[in-house]
Amino acid sequence: MMKLMTRYSLCVSLLIFIPTLTHSANSSANYLTTQQLWFSQTLDHYSPYSQDRSQFQQRYYEFLDFFRSPDGPIFMVICGEYTCKGIKNDYIAVLAKKFGAAVVSLEHRYYGKSSPFKQLTTQNLRYLSSKQALFDLAVFRQSYQESLNAKLNRTKEENPWFVFGVSYPGALSAWFRLKFPHLTCGSLASSAVVLAVYNFTEFDQQVGESAGPECKAALQETTKLVDQKLVTNGKALKASFDATDLRIDGDFLYFLADAAATAFQYGNPDKLCKPLVEAKKAGDDLVDAYAKYVKEYYLGDFGASVQSYNQNYLKNTAASEDSSDRLWWFQVCTEVAYFQVAPSNDSVRSSKVDTRYHLDLCKNVFGEGIFPDVNSTNIYYGGTKIAGSKIVFTNGSQDPWRRASKQASSPDMPSYTITCSNCGHGTDMRGCPQSPFNIEGNEKNCTSPDAVHKVRQKIVEHIDLWLSECQDTSRSCI
C-alpha cells in the first residue's frame, strides 16, 4: 500500500535534517523518556504585587529523537491530576515520528514533584486551579521556545506548536487553545471533560448503557445486595472486598461504583460483565463474584488503591508523590464538581452516593466554605459551548465521562465519537484496552479497529492542515 505524505510532513521533509539536540535518556518500554528536567515557575500568575511573584520548581520532560530541526513542530502533551513520570509511549510517538515533532510535557502544578509547598493545607492549595495551570503552560511554552532559539543561535523564530491532552488534560488542551490561540496551532482534546457538572447523574446512566441490559441488571442486583449486607454485617462485607479501612459507608459504596465504571472507562467490559452475568445465571452469590472482580482486576491488574477513597487518608497534608487524590478532590470541590451521584431511578450505583455525600466529603477533608462554583467555571470556559477554534474533540462511545465532553461537531471544532464495545476514555491516544498499558495505543486490539483508525486519520488530517496554516507564509514549499 502506498504511504501517504501529508501536506505538512511533505513541507518539513524537504528541510535539511540536523541531528537532535539531545537524545532520549532513561527511556523504558512504556515511556519515550523519563529524564527529569526543571523549570522555574511563577506561583501566582494573577497577583499584581511583586511579593506574590515567588517561584517553585516544576518538572518537565522532552523527547527530541524525531525532531526535524530547526523548523519542526513542537507537541506539548499536558500532564494532569497525577504524578507525571515521563512522556508515555502511546500514539503521541506515532504522531511525533510522522510530523518530525519534538515532544515536551509539563507536570501539573502541585502534583508529583511539582509542589510549591511541603504542606498541602487548604490555605496552601489556593493556587491550585485550572486557570493557574493554563498560565503555567503558556509561560513554559514561551520560555521553551526562547531556549530552543538560543540553542539554535536564532532570535524571534516560532516553531509551530500543537497541544494534546486526555481527560482533564484534554479539557486543559481545549481551554489552552481557547485562551491562548496565538501560542498554539491547534489542540487535540481527547475525552475532554470541558463541562463542569454539579450533579453528574449522566455518568451513572452511561455506565448502565455501556453495560447493556444483562450486565446492567446484574450490577443493579449486586448493588441492592451490597446495600442490604452493609446494614446487617457491614464489617464482614467490607473485609470481603479488602476494604476494611473505609469506615465511612459512603466511601465504600463510592469505591464499589468506581470499580464498575472503570471496566467501561478503560476498555475492559468483559472483565466485569462476563463473570457477573454468569454468576447471575448460575444462581451464585453476586456479591462474591463482584468482590472477586474488584480484588483481581480493580485492585490487582488496574492498580487502584482503597486508600484513595478513605477520607481520613485524604486529610493528609504532607506533600508527596502520593498526594494526587487529595489534590484532585480539592479541584473537584472548588472548581468542577463532577459529583457522580446516583440518578433518582434506574441507578447502577447505590442511592447513598448522593450530593450530600460529596458535600460532606469536601467539608470533612478541606473544611468549611469549600464549594464547587461550576457556574463560574462554565461561564469562564464556555462548557460544551466553548468558542475556540482548531480543536479536535474525540470520545469513546463506552466512556462514562463523555457526557461532560463536547459531542456536537462544527467546522472549527470537529467532534468524533469512536464506537466499539471497548472504546472508552482516550481510546484515540491509548488504544484498547488501556489496562494493562498498551504501547503506542494499538488500535488492532479494539473490537472495531477500523473505527479507531478512521478517527486517527481525521486527527492526522487536522494536525496536518492546522500546522501548515500556522507556518510562516514567507517560507514556501515545493
Side-chain angles (χ1 to χ4, degrees), residues 450-475:
D450 287 345
V452 181
H453 184 67
K454 286 178 181 177
V455 169
R456 285 180 166 178
Q457 281 185 314
K458 292 289 187 183
I459 291 170
V460 168
E461 289 171 8
H462 290 299
I463 294 174
D464 179 37
L465 174 62
W466 296 339
L467 285 177
S468 66
E469 290 177 346
C470 207
Q471 282 290 77
D472 186 352
T473 55
S474 66
R475 181 167 66 82

Side-chain angles (χ1 to χ4, degrees), residues 218-235:
L219 276 169
Q220 288 177 320
E221 187 173 338
T222 304
T223 298
K224 184 178 179 181
L225 292 169
V226 165
D227 279 344
Q228 292 171 355
K229 289 188 176 186
L230 196 57
V231 174
T232 58
N233 196 350
K235 190 173 182 179

Side-chain angles (χ1 to χ4, degrees), residues 163-212:
V163 185
F164 298 80
V166 180
S167 193
Y168 166 59
L172 290 175
S173 179
W175 294 338
F176 186 83
R177 172 64 193 174
L178 173 71
K179 297 300 182 180
F180 302 98
H182 57 295
L183 297 183
T184 177
C185 303
S187 157
L188 174 64
S190 175
S191 299
V193 284
V194 291
L195 179 67
V197 189
Y198 185 60
N199 284 326
F200 195 14
T201 55
E202 294 88 354
F203 185 95
D204 189 80
Q205 290 165 353
Q206 182 61 55
V207 170
E209 288 181 23
S210 299

Side-chain angles (χ1 to χ4, degrees), residues 105-294:
S105 190
L106 181 70
E107 187 167 58
H108 196 295
R109 59 168 50 211
Y110 283 86
Y111 291 88
K113 292 185 177 180
S114 299
S115 180
F117 301 100
K118 292 183 179 180
Q119 290 295 318
L120 302 176
T121 62
T122 301
Q123 174 66 12
N124 283 348
L125 294 178
R126 64 191 182 278
Y127 303 113
L128 173 56
S129 69
S130 62
K131 293 177 184 177
Q132 295 279 6
L134 287 173
F135 223 121
D136 286 346
L137 291 166
V139 171
F140 171 77
R141 181 258 189 241
Q142 291 294 83
S143 178
Y144 190 89
Q145 181 67 70
E146 291 171 5
S147 176
L148 180 61
N149 287 346
K151 290 177 183 178
L152 295 171
N153 195 27
R154 62 183 189 177
T155 58
K156 296 183 180 179
E157 295 290 330
E158 285 286 321
N159 291 74
W161 286 68
F162 205 96
V163 185
F164 298 80
V166 180
S167 193
Y168 166 59
L172 290 175
S173 179
W175 294 338
F176 186 83
R177 172 64 193 174
L178 173 71
K179 297 300 182 180
F180 302 98
H182 57 295
L183 297 183
T184 177
C185 303
S187 157
L188 174 64
S190 175
S191 299
V193 284
V194 291
L195 179 67
V197 189
Y198 185 60
N199 284 326
F200 195 14
T201 55
E202 294 88 354
F203 185 95
D204 189 80
Q205 290 165 353
Q206 182 61 55
V207 170
E209 288 181 23
S210 299
E214 272 193 321
C215 185
K216 179 182 178 181
L219 276 169
Q220 288 177 320
E221 187 173 338
T222 304
T223 298
K224 184 178 179 181
L225 292 169
V226 165
D227 279 344
Q228 292 171 355
K229 289 188 176 186
L230 196 57
V231 174
T232 58
N233 196 350
K235 190 173 182 179
L237 175 67
K238 291 176 182 178
S240 70
F241 285 88
D242 291 345
T244 52
D245 286 346
L246 302 183
R247 305 285 179 84
I248 299 173
D249 289 349
D251 293 349
F252 174 67
L253 294 170
Y254 192 95
F255 161 65
L256 296 190
D258 252 12
T262 297
F264 308 106
Q265 182 170 329
Y266 293 109
N268 278 304
D270 291 344
K271 294 278 188 182
L272 168 66
C273 289
K274 188 176 179 181
L276 215 56
V277 170
E278 286 178 354
K280 182 174 169 60
K281 287 180 177 178
D284 295 336
D285 192 311
L286 281 172
V287 176
D288 286 347
Y290 191 58
K292 188 172 186 291
Y293 156 79
V294 170

